[in-house]
C-alpha cells in the first residue's frame, strides 16, 4: 500500500464515519494504515538526510509534513471509533 492508497483508505473511513457507519471500521485497520504511514515517514526522513539538492529537500519536507498530517488524522479516527 503506497502513500496515496493509504490516504484514500483514510478518506473512505472518514466518509463512513460521516455516514454513521463507524462500526464497520476496525481499529486494527486504522493501525495498519498508521504503521504504513510511520514507515513512509521514516523512509522520507532518511532520504531527506541523504539529499544534498535543496529543491529535492523542500519536496521531501512537504511530503513528510503531509504524512504527519495523515498520521494525525489516523490517530484521531482511531480514538473516535474506539469511543463508539
Amino acid at each position: 500500500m503506497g502513500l496515496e492508497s493509504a490516504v484514500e483508505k483514510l478518506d473512505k473511513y472518514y466518509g463512513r464515519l460521516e455516514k454513521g457507519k463507524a462500526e464497520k471500521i476496525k481499529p486494527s485497520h486504522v493501525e495498519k494504515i498508521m504503521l504504513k504511514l510511520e514507515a513512509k515517514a521514516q523512509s522520507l526522513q532518511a532520504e531527506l538526510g541523504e539529499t544534498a539538492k535543496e529543491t529535492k529537500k523542500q519536496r521531501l519536507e512537504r511530503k513528510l509534513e503531509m504524512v504527519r498530517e495523515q498520521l494525525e488524522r489516523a490517530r484521531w479516527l482511531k480514538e473516535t471509533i474506539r469511543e463508539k
Side-chain angles (χ1 to χ4, degrees):
M1 180 184 306
L3 180 58
E4 293 168 1
S5 60
V7 173
E8 287 174 13
K9 198 88 144 150
L10 267 179
D11 289 342
K12 285 181 185 178
Y13 289 159
Y14 267 81
R16 286 182 186 167
L17 187 64
E18 288 175 3
K19 292 178 183 176
K21 297 181 180 181
E23 68 278 354
K24 292 186 176 186
I25 307 168
K26 293 187 169 82
S28 62
H29 295 166
V30 179
E31 288 171 5
K32 186 176 177 182
I33 292 173
M34 289 173 65
L35 288 173
K36 290 180 185 290
L37 288 170
E38 288 167 355
K40 183 65 175 180
Q42 289 176 354
S43 164
L44 288 169
Q45 193 67 45
E47 191 175 349
L48 186 61
E50 296 171 359
T51 303
K53 202 172 177 185
E54 192 59 36
T55 55
K56 187 170 183 178
K57 280 187 178 187
Q58 290 172 351
R59 189 172 68 247
L60 290 171
E61 287 170 352
R62 285 191 305 268
K63 280 186 178 182
L64 189 56
E65 182 60 31
M66 194 267 296
V67 169
R68 289 178 179 150
E69 288 171 5
Q70 296 304 315
L71 269 168
E72 284 303 311
R73 287 181 69 211
R75 285 185 191 105
W76 180 87
L77 180 64
K78 183 178 164 187
E79 290 302 314
T80 302
I81 60 174
R82 282 191 179 189
E83 294 171 1
K84 295 197 179 229

